[in-house]
Amino acid sequence: MSPVEEVKKLISINSVTGSEKVLGVYLEERFRKMGCETRLFEADENRFNVYAEIKGRSLDIPGLLFHGHLDTVAAHGMESPFIPIEKDGKLYGRGSVDQKGGIAAVISAFEETLRTGKIPGKTIAFIGVIDEESEHRGSMALENMGIKAEFAVVTEPTGLRLGIGCKGTMPIRINVTGQAAHGCRPWLGRNAVVAGMDITQMLMKEELPVFEVEGLGRLQGSLNLGKIDGGRAYNIVADRCSIWFDRRLVPGESQLAVLKRVKALVAEYSAQNGILAEAEIARPDWNWEPIKARGLLPALTDVSSAEVDEVKKAHKMEIGSGPELFFTDGYQEMDFLINDLGINSVQYGPGDSSLCHTDSENLDLEQLELCSRVYLNMIRLLCG
Ligand SMILES: [Zn+2]
């Protein structure tokens, strides 16, 4: 199947986070029938990661691993989320760009590799994971699955640019508990909203770390105040307030150290002002302790590696110039591959990532075809 037909098929299988099973089972069969060795791994109840490999002559670990996530965000207000619509060289549908396009490009490159009948020198692998859009249970399971590779490509959309790193992200909630009183006698209460404002200002004033990425420039950690909830009525001293922050981490920062610093500042404020304030890792969709404890960490590719040179060559063979390198302010699951598995990884995939999660999500089909050929080049250059 062409990558275009392939991605249409993948979009037609609804795999909104939590319901990835049907897609996992489909992919396992799709890869097995083309000649791969495959397995399903239950990463969460009735939700499966899918692994496929084309065995190489060498018995070593795979020379190249493609990583993609099976889940998508909900359909929200999309016109036709699961019946893809093709228009002006674009394919509209939920998951088209995020990131069934990347997976379709891998399937086509694998099929093409097998069609030659030639056994590659090194094994080529694909891992499809669940739950990327929420608690990352799929990529959290990679260590337990025993996933290994010399090098990995995360197939999330990059517009065919080469992603060499990502920031980490920490959802922090500050909970402030004060004491209610009648609004006519505020001196009898302890105002949690006022304390929350003080704490917010204190945190926003902190100088955040800077990291220099060779050739790309300066990155800085960031802190966004996303949401404040507090108080009960205009004429009551507010006795509770919660404030949500999104703290983005640069390479070298750890969730543990940042949380420790925030907790210390908040504790100091509490002691000085006789009010109870506490900081915690919290996100509305995170109920699973392991992800709260681990967090989503920054990651950086070793760009001096021979594999990165081959990836650049694979791109250039098809496109003629480039690829442009970038470091994303966003978060990518290359974090798990680099930080937990020790696999040097890049991000490279078809489509415009600014369309992810939008109601007009669509995939540029020319990029999809190009990407599939670049993946095939990567396979040939890295696995022989
Ligand atoms: Zn994605």
Side-chain angles (χ1 to χ4, degrees):
M1 242 196 281
S2 74
V4 176
E5 291 312 307
E6 199 70 59
V7 75
K8 284 181 182 170
K9 174 72 194 172
L10 299 183
I11 292 168
S12 74
I13 304 172
N14 176 343
S15 62
V16 171
T17 309
S19 59
E20 300 95 336
K21 186 182 175 182
V22 179
L23 182 60
V25 168
Y26 167 80
L27 286 173
E28 187 278 329
E29 188 182 292
R30 179 79 180 87
F31 279 108
R32 177 164 40 82
K33 286 193 169 160
M34 75 168 78
C36 292
E37 284 190 19
T38 57
R39 68 184 164 114
L40 287 167
F41 181 89
E42 192 169 21
D44 185 31
E45 203 186 336
N46 222 13
R47 301 166 73 191
F48 298 87
N49 284 353
V50 56
Y51 180 79
E53 62 181 28
I54 300 174
K55 280 268 180 234
R57 291 188 303 277
S58 154
L59 297 175
D60 289 345
I61 61 172
L64 177 58
L65 169 73
F66 291 96
H67 174 287
H69 66 85
L70 308 184
D71 61 322
T72 71
V73 294
H76 298 300
M78 271 200 112
E79 190 188 325
S80 178
F82 308 117
I83 302 169
I85 297 170
E86 195 175 339
K87 207 174 121 191
D88 303 327
K90 315 252 191 255
L91 189 68
Y92 291 76
R94 180 56 84 220
S96 55
V97 76
D98 186 17
Q99 55 126 104
K100 292 179 172 177
I103 295 175
V106 172
I107 295 173
S108 294
F110 271 40
E111 206 160 43
E112 192 58 35
T113 302
L114 287 161
R115 201 181 345 251
T116 63
K118 185 178 150 262
I119 299 170
K122 289 181 183 174
T123 296
I124 306 141
F126 167 75
I127 178 74
V129 298
I130 62 160
D131 204 33
E132 190 272 345
E133 303 288 1
S134 185
E135 293 175 312
H136 302 266
R137 288 176 188 244
S139 278
M140 287 282 278
L142 295 179
E143 262 184 301
N144 280 343
M145 287 183 74
I147 297 297
K148 290 186 169 61
E150 289 174 2
F151 187 76
V153 175
V154 172
T155 58
E156 291 262 30
T158 64
L160 305 186
R161 297 184 304 150
L162 188 63
I164 61 156
C166 69
K167 286 186 180 173
T169 172
M170 263 179 87
I172 303 171
R173 186 170 62 191
I174 313 276
N175 304 303
V176 189
T177 311
Q179 196 185 321
H182 196 289
C184 70
R185 295 182 206 92
W187 56 87
L188 294 182
R190 289 197 202 101
N191 195 310
V193 169
V194 171
M197 284 158 60
D198 288 346
I199 291 169
T200 298
Q201 283 192 338
M202 188 173 75
L203 294 178
M204 302 287 281
K205 263 197 280 200
E206 288 265 287
E207 186 86 30
L208 299 180
V210 167
F211 183 87
E212 188 82 28
V213 185
E214 223 189 300
L216 290 183
R218 201 172 160 273
L219 300 170
Q220 189 164 21
S222 63
L223 183 70
N224 177 58
L225 168 58
K227 194 167 184 250
I228 298 185
D229 281 316
R232 295 179 190 275
Y234 85 96
N235 56 357
I236 301 175
V237 173
D239 64 344
R240 47 160 289 278
C241 178
S242 70
I243 312 157
W244 297 76
F245 292 99
D246 180 1
R247 171 75 158 81
R248 300 286 164 150
L249 314 177
V250 294
E253 291 197 272
S254 81
Q255 168 165 298
L256 205 64
V258 172
L259 189 62
K260 216 170 138 188
R261 169 78 185 149
V262 171
K263 280 184 180 239
L265 286 169
V266 169
E268 196 184 313
Y269 179 89
S270 297
Q272 280 170 3
N273 296 277
I275 203 156
L276 180 65
E278 282 170 325
E280 61 174 350
I281 300 292
R283 215 173 95 163
D285 61 332
W286 278 12
N287 299 305
W288 193 48
E289 290 307 320
I291 192 62
K292 291 189 203 172
R294 182 195 181 277
L296 301 174
L297 312 175
L300 185 63
T301 306
D302 171 11
V303 289
S304 68
S305 74
E307 288 91 349
V308 171
D309 283 343
E310 298 293 8
V311 164
K312 288 181 187 166
K313 208 185 291 172
H315 170 93
K316 216 168 183 171
M317 281 162 68
E318 212 54 55
I319 315 290
S321 63
E324 181 191 332
L325 268 54
F326 74 101
F327 184 105
T328 179
D329 289 315
Y331 173 77
Q332 284 303 324
E333 283 198 337
M334 66 199 304
D335 159 25
F336 291 91
L337 298 167
I338 292 176
N339 294 318
D340 291 357
L341 277 64
I343 304 173
N344 194 29
S345 308
V346 292
Q347 184 196 349
Y348 185 94
D352 175 354
S353 65
S354 70
L355 296 166
C356 296
H357 305 191
T358 67
D359 285 349
S360 57
E361 177 174 4
N362 69 78
L363 175 67
D364 183 307
L365 294 175
E366 193 193 342
Q367 268 194 27
L368 171 67
E369 306 249 16
L370 285 170
C371 184
S372 187
R373 293 206 291 274
V374 174
Y375 286 169
L376 187 62
N377 293 342
M378 289 181 194
I379 288 171
R380 286 174 180 158
L381 291 169
L382 288 166
C383 298

